[in-house]
Structure formats: C-alpha cells, structure tokens
C-alpha cells in the first residue's frame, strides 16, 4: 500500500538519476478573449502573463529534483535565448546542468501554447528536431561515460528530436551492465529493444503501433515486452490512468483524477519521473504505478507545465488517512456525480487484509462505471461476522488502504448487517460483489433492483480470501 511517508523516505535517500533525452521549452501565453479578429473568425487573446517552463526531458528532470532525487540532465540545447531559459529554470529547480550541452547553430525546440481563460486556443512549435551534429554526439557519449556509472538509475526520454542518435544509443547499450535500473519513455520504443530496458512507458497509441489491438491482454503484453526488450511495460492512458503489465504477475490498472485536457501538459513527464524514482527506491511494482499516478494527479490539478514536489505528494497521500465520508457527505458527493451524468458503482466488504483478490475485484468493479464507492464494515460488524479475533486491522486503517487505491473514488463505513439502507439512499447504478455468490444469495439484491440498479457478480480468485491469507500467516508463525 501507499503511505504518506513514502515520498519523504525516498527523498531522504537522494537517489541519483540521470535523464538522457530531448529537452525543450514549454511556453504559456495566457490572457482573456472577448472578441474575434476582423481578418478571420479567430479569437483575439490579450496576453497578460507569459511563463516559460522546462519541457520534455527537462521537465522530467525537474520533477525528479522536486521529488528529492539528485537529477542530472544529459541533453542538448541551442545557443539561443530559449536554451538560456531552460538552463535558468533547471538551475532554479536544483537540476544538475553542467551535463547540458550547447550546440551552436541549433535552434532549441520549444512548444508555446496560447490560452484564453481556461481554453487552449493554439500551440505553435519552433526549433530544430533533426539529429545533433556528429561532434555533439561524440560529446554526449563522453558525458554518458562520466555520469552513468555513478547513477542509481537512468531514464531515457526519446521524443524523436535528435538527441538520442545511433551513437548515443549504442553507448547506452555498451554501458547497460553498469545501469542498475533503465527506464525508457519513447515515441518509438522498438529503437530501444537492444538496450533491454527494465521498464518502458508507451502511451496507448504507441503500444498499439508496436503490437496492434487484437489478441488477449496477456498476448499483447508478451508482444510488447518482446518488441521493447523490457521486463515491465506500463501503458499510460492519459486521463484514464495507466495499466501495469509485468512479466511475473497479473495486470494492474490505475485510475487518474479527472482533469481538463488543457491541464494535462507535462503530466506524463511527472508520471515517468515518479515511476522511475519509486522503482529505483525498491517499491513493489503495483505500488510504483500507484505512486506515479498520485504524482501525476497532483500536477493535473494545476494549469500549465508544473512539477510535483515531495510535500505535495505527501499531502496527496496523507489525505487518504482521513478519506472516509460519513453517509451525509457521501450522499451529497453521489448527487454531484449523478448530476454530471456519471455511472455509480457500489460495493462493500470487510477488506481486513487487502490482497491480490481484492485488488483485482475492485479494479473490475471500477470498469463497470465512472465512480466506485466502497462501504467498509466497521470493527463491531466485522467481529459479528468473522469472530472475536477479527478484524486484524482497524476500520480507519482499512479505509486508508482502500482510499489509496486509484480505482476507489469514495469510502465510507457502516455498522449494520447489510448495506440495504445505504443502497436505498445512494441508489447506485450497479451493485458489485466479488466471490462465489449468486444475486439471489445477497440480501441487498431486492433493494438494488427496486431502485433501478443491477447486481453484478465479479470474478472470484480461489485461495485469495482474507481468511486463507490469515491462516497461512498463522501457519508460518506456528512453524517457527
């Protein structure tokens, strides 16, 4: 599970991570618009603020520094004002820039957006995206030889903008045995298959381009690992979260906090930065992607290109500790969701010792709608159901663990023997239950159907019950 002390714990370790790739400048020209221009039906935007931020690999490095890592950027800019702006922003962010090379005659790549109010009006791109000059490529190889062996991880950001030439990729392949963790975020990950990354992060379109859209999840996951040379694949889905496809376990889905598309710029950089940091820090892979998703959720709540700091991520994760809503608060939240046209899914259980079966079933429940509400038995009702030795974990702890899952939107507790009264008040579209039940076995079914909802029985993983987990623990303790 994710806990609020994880960001601080990782920050204290000061992991050294090299970001190698295409740096660019993100510019934001913001203002108001109240009229159209005479020449064409185009809005006239009266600019009242201009912001320049690191973009691409530079933003990824800035995010790593904000999360407490010792970030080293190996990249190239032009000898121009935009290049100076990138370096100035990175110096202020605490990123090491003595490894940031300057190529004379090259124009720094920039992406500038015009925003009227909250609406993105246009984006215009400038700069050179062809391969760097051979002499610059040789200099990059020299920097890699100096920097890479001293790092805890290397993160490749390859957006096809000319930094990662054949010579640079060959040098990283040669240095691969000396890289403890190699992550790659690239538009064309097939270019990196021979380097054998530990983890890659294609978006949905990039993944489909590599393996197509046909076949089972398991088949496509295996094809992705073969095509990219990676042991672990994390497919990012923009505002819909991400899917972890490890080589040694089941797929795991995360769910993103809803945000306007105009506020999603740079969230992918934050995601891959946090993912690399968490993986270098030794977190389990499911915790790694949840950690990365939480960091991305922080930045999409703010306009422009921004970073997620250790303090902000701690606050985000710490909010889970008090995440339980009382029934009045929950009813108000559900009314808001329903007014926005969202489909409400409701489920309940003890969730005493959260295990793989719970995670699979909660993710499956989330896919049945837009908002997942989980009602947790309070401590007294667990004792009535399971016996005097249960629960193992208190209701507040169980709520905090569940709320830390990105698939769960709201958590509440209840003390009755059934959730029929709560269901009647919330009137969910779907009541989901995991296990070897039939709808007729559930006391909530008549109430759900009378409210116009449907009952769905989800997949059951044998030998993945809480009781079985507790018995295995007791058996091992008794054998010692």
């Amino acid at each position: 599970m994710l806990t609020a002390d994880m960001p601080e714990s990782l920050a204290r370790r000061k992991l050294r991570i090299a970001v190698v790739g295409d740096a660019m400048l993100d510019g934001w020209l913001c203002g108001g618009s109240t009229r159209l221009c005479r020449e064409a039906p185009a809005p006239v935007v009266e600019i009242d603020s201009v912001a320049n931020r690191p973009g691409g690999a530079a933003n990824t490095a800035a995010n790593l520094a904000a999360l407490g890592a010792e970030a080293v950027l190996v990249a190239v800019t032009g000898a121009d004002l935009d290049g100076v702006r990138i370096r100035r922003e990175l110096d202020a962010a605490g990123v090491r820039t003595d490894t940031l090379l300057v190529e004379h005659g090259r124009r720094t790549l920039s992406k500038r957006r015009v925003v009227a109010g909250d609406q993105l009006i246009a984006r215009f791109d400038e700069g050179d995206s062809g391969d760097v000059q051979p002499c610059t490529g040789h200099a990059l190889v020299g920097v890699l030889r100096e920097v890479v062996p001293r790092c805890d991880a290397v993160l490749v950001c390859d957006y096809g903008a000319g930094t990662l030439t054949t010579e640079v990729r060959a040098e990283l392949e040669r240095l691969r045995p000396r890289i403890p963790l190699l992550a790659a975020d690239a538009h064309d990950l097939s270019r990196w298959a021979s380097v054998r990354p530990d983890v890659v992060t294609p978006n949905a379109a990039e993944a489909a381009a590599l393996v197509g859209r046909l076949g089972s999840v398991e088949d496509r996951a295996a094809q992705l690992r073969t095509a990219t040379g990676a042991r672990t694949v994390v497919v990012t889905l923009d505002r819909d979260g991400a899917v972890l496809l490890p080589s040694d376990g089941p797929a795991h889905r995360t769910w993103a906090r809803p945000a306007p598309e105009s506020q999603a710029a740079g969230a992918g950089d934050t995601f891959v930065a946090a993912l690399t940091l968490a993986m270098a820090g030794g977190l389990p892979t499911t915790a790694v992607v949840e950690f990365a998703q939480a960091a991305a959720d922080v930045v999409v709540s703010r306009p422009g290109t921004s970073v997620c700091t250790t303090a902000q991520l701690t606050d985000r994760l710490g909010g889970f500790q008090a995440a339980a809503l009382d029934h009045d608060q929950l009813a108000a939240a559900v009314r808001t969701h329903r007014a926005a046209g969202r489909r409400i899914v409701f489920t309940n259980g003890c969730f005493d010792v959260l295990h793989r079966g719970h995670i699979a079933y909660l993710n499956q429940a989330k896919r049945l709608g837009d908002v997942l509400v989980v009602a947790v038995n309070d401590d007294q009702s667990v004792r009535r159901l399971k016996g005097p030795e249960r629960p193992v974990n208190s209701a507040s702890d169980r709520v905090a663990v569940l709320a830390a899952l990105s698939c769960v939107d709201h958590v509440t507790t209840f003390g009755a023997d059934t959730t029929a009264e709560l269901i009647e008040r919330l009137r969910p579209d779907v009541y989901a239950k995991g296990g070897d039940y039939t709808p007729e076995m559930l006391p909530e079914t008549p109430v759900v159907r009378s409210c116009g909802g449907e009952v769905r029985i989800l997949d059951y993983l044998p030998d993945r019950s809480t009781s079985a987990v507790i018995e295995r623990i007791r058996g091992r303790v008794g054998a010692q």
Side-chain angles (χ1 to χ4, degrees):
M1 65 169 284
L2 294 181
T3 58
D5 63 345
M6 282 182 177
E8 287 287 353
S9 177
L10 288 171
R12 284 195 297 271
R13 294 178 60 180
K14 275 294 177 186
L15 296 168
R16 180 180 294 172
I17 300 177
V19 180
V20 184
D22 299 313
M24 58 194 72
L25 184 74
D26 275 0
W28 295 85
L29 294 81
C30 303
S33 178
T34 58
R35 58 194 173 93
L36 300 178
C37 66
R38 295 180 179 179
E39 299 90 338
V44 175
V45 182
E46 298 179 358
I47 302 299
D48 56 34
S49 69
V50 177
N52 293 300
R53 298 287 184 265
N59 186 42
T60 303
N63 271 277
L64 281 165
L67 288 170
E70 183 182 336
V72 183
L73 178 61
V74 182
V76 179
T77 70
D80 54 15
L81 183 56
D82 282 348
V84 172
R85 286 168 172 152
I86 291 176
R87 187 180 296 273
R88 184 171 59 210
E89 291 289 328
L90 291 173
D91 287 339
V95 176
R96 179 179 160 188
T97 57
D98 60 322
T99 52
L100 180 59
L101 305 184
V102 175
E103 180 176 285
H104 291 273
R106 186 179 184 86
R107 295 180 304 152
T108 300
L109 191 63
S110 67
K111 298 181 179 181
R112 289 183 167 85
R113 296 165 175 86
V114 180
V115 180
D118 293 328
Q119 180 63 49
L120 178 63
I121 301 299
R123 191 187 92 181
F124 57 97
D125 297 357
E126 298 177 292
D128 296 326
S129 58
D131 281 359
V132 297
Q133 296 296 323
C135 59
T136 306
H138 295 332
L140 282 169
V141 167
V143 171
L144 290 175
R145 290 173 180 170
E146 175 67 22
V147 169
V148 166
R150 302 177 181 180
C151 289
D152 298 293
V154 172
L155 171 51
V156 170
C157 298
D158 181 8
Y159 310 125
T163 305
L164 294 157
T165 62
T166 301
E167 182 182 12
V168 172
R169 294 198 307 275
E171 184 60 26
L172 283 169
E173 184 173 356
R174 190 187 71 79
L175 291 169
R176 182 65 180 95
R178 304 178 69 179
I179 302 175
L181 173 72
L182 178 64
D185 181 35
H187 288 339
D188 181 7
L189 283 163
S190 63
R191 287 165 31 108
W192 295 93
S194 63
V195 188
R196 312 296 295 179
D198 294 291
V199 59
V200 294
T201 57
N203 62 32
E206 292 160 354
L210 288 169
V211 301
R213 299 178 184 274
L214 301 178
S216 67
V217 172
E218 293 78 11
D219 289 343
R220 281 180 289 171
Q223 292 170 23
L224 277 172
R225 289 191 291 270
T226 299
T228 62
R231 291 190 294 109
T232 300
V233 176
V234 179
V235 180
T236 59
L237 306 174
D238 295 323
R239 292 181 297 169
D240 293 321
V243 178
L244 166 69
L245 302 170
S247 59
D248 57 353
H252 177 76
R253 171 78 184 272
T254 70
W255 304 85
R257 176 186 291 178
E261 189 67 45
S262 60
Q263 293 184 194
D269 303 329
T270 303
F271 183 94
V272 72
L275 180 140
T276 304
L277 176 66
M279 190 168 280
L283 269 61
T285 50
T286 53
V288 163
V289 291
E290 293 286 353
F291 185 91
Q293 187 64 65
D297 285 347
V298 168
V299 299
V300 298
S301 66
R302 302 194 301 272
T305 305
S306 56
V307 299
C308 174
T309 67
T310 298
Q312 290 164 346
L313 187 52
T314 297
D315 287 345
R316 164 81 172 141
L317 297 179
F320 298 146
Q321 305 303 319
L325 301 179
D326 63 34
H327 292 184
D328 289 338
Q329 294 170 324
L330 180 59
V334 167
R335 283 196 299 272
T336 300
H337 289 305
R338 183 165 285 117
R342 301 184 185 112
R343 184 174 167 87
I344 310 299
V345 182
F346 179 93
T347 191
N348 65 277
C350 297
F351 300 101
D352 193 6
V353 178
L354 204 68
H355 53 73
R356 173 184 160 190
H358 288 136
I359 302 299
Y361 133 64
L362 289 170
N363 273 283
Q364 192 177 358
K366 173 71 172 185
R367 290 194 290 270
L368 298 175
D370 304 304
V371 177
L372 178 59
V373 177
V374 180
V376 181
N377 292 78
D378 67 15
D379 293 345
Q380 288 185 350
S381 66
V382 173
R383 278 190 284 273
R384 288 199 306 270
L385 288 168
K386 304 292 185 180
E389 295 184 353
R390 301 279 294 276
V392 174
N393 293 297
S394 67
S396 60
D397 285 345
R398 289 180 281 132
V399 164
V401 172
L402 286 165
L405 298 175
S406 59
C407 62
V408 176
D409 297 285
H410 299 295
V411 187
T412 192
T413 59
F414 71 100
D417 291 335
T418 78
T419 55
E421 183 178 342
L422 184 56
I423 287 172
E424 192 168 17
R425 184 172 185 183
L426 300 179
R427 304 178 71 86
D429 299 285
V430 180
Y431 175 61
K433 196 68 178 173
D436 50 354
Y437 299 99
T438 65
E440 290 67 32
M441 295 169 63
L442 301 172
E444 292 87 353
T445 294
V447 179
V448 173
R449 290 174 174 169
S450 70
C451 294
E454 61 175 312
V455 178
R456 296 286 296 271
I457 304 301
L458 306 184
D459 294 339
Y460 176 68
L461 292 180
D463 199 32
R464 288 293 186 274
S465 71
T466 299
S467 298
V469 172
I470 293 173
E471 286 304 315
R472 284 198 297 272
I473 293 172
R474 287 172 174 165
R476 290 173 183 173
V477 171
Q480 291 178 353

